[in-house]
Amino acid sequence: MSGQLLAVVEVDKADRVVCQAEGCGHGVYRRIHVVRHGDGTLGVYGSDCFGRLFGQLADKAPQYGSGDGRELTAEERLMLAENTERLIAQFEAEHQALLEQARLRREQQEKVEQAAREAAERRRIEAERRRPPTAAEIASVEAQAKAVVRQKFGVDPDIPGWRGLVLVEARKLLGR
């Protein structure tokens, strides 16, 4: 028989359900296997009948929950007995909600990581900005800095005593 294992559930012994394997009819309360058949119908089976009919699915995890057997509430037990499709729809909705929560957590984590990367980059830029300029950097803008000093202050920047003013203008040109 082909099928898909949807869930493994359990109920109180007093609320056991009937195994739907042909000719079985045993009451099942632990490790109830809910299977969607190839034709789309649902079936509820005990462990022995499930293993006999769907041995190829025995090692596969169910679509919803774990293979340990989720204990059903009284309302879910009623759905299992009266409208298994509705119970599976509820499991699907819970599954989708968990996926959505996981997606939101991943997005939030990505935002936190992005903010941390941006903060690290800002710190790196600020540290670079605060770093004193190297002699090579000053030399690269020195002619321009001297021109600014000549224009702004009307002095010859090559005369002794004006070097400090040239360095101030060089730092401004370098953005520091």
Side-chain angles (χ1 to χ4, degrees):
M1 251 181 151
S2 69
Q4 178 185 19
L5 178 59
L6 298 178
V8 178
V9 297
E10 64 180 64
V11 296
D12 286 334
K13 189 173 185 176
D15 293 328
R16 61 184 147 239
V17 296
V18 176
C19 176
Q20 295 175 346
E22 191 174 315
C24 179
H26 284 102
V28 185
Y29 62 97
R30 281 189 129 57
R31 302 206 30 88
I32 304 165
H33 296 74
V34 182
V35 176
R36 182 169 309 279
H37 299 272
D39 64 2
T41 60
L42 293 176
V44 177
Y45 303 94
S47 291
D48 292 339
C49 291
F50 173 77
R52 182 173 44 82
L53 296 171
F54 303 98
Q56 75 278 10
L57 299 178
D59 293 335
K60 295 188 178 182
Q63 175 117 15
Y64 308 112
S66 70
D68 296 334
R70 168 182 169 170
E71 190 169 341
L72 298 181
T73 65
E75 181 181 296
E76 290 171 334
R77 159 50 180 100
L78 192 59
M79 278 192 273
L80 176 66
E82 295 178 359
N83 190 345
T84 309
E85 231 9 284
R86 192 168 141 226
L87 178 63
I88 294 303
Q90 177 180 314
F91 286 174
E92 173 65 20
E94 290 170 359
H95 178 71
Q96 291 303 319
L98 288 173
L99 291 176
E100 180 63 13
Q101 288 172 356
R103 183 188 68 77
L104 291 173
R105 278 193 304 273
R106 272 192 316 276
E107 284 179 2
Q108 184 62 32
Q109 183 62 33
E110 288 169 4
K111 287 179 184 177
V112 166
E113 290 169 359
Q114 180 63 27
R117 284 191 297 272
E118 289 171 0
E121 180 63 11
R122 283 192 302 274
R123 286 190 302 274
R124 186 194 66 74
I125 290 169
E126 182 61 23
E128 177 67 21
R129 190 185 69 73
R130 289 183 178 185
R131 178 186 58 79
T134 64
E137 290 171 329
I138 290 172
S140 73
V141 295
E142 189 166 356
Q144 194 178 355
K146 286 180 179 182
V148 169
V149 169
R150 271 190 199 95
Q151 181 185 13
K152 253 182 164 177
F153 302 104
V155 295
D156 182 0
D158 292 319
I159 295 176
W162 295 106
R163 179 74 182 151
L165 193 53
V166 171
L167 292 176
V168 167
E169 293 301 324
R171 284 190 175 117
K172 287 180 185 175
L173 290 169
L174 292 169
R176 298 202 178 130

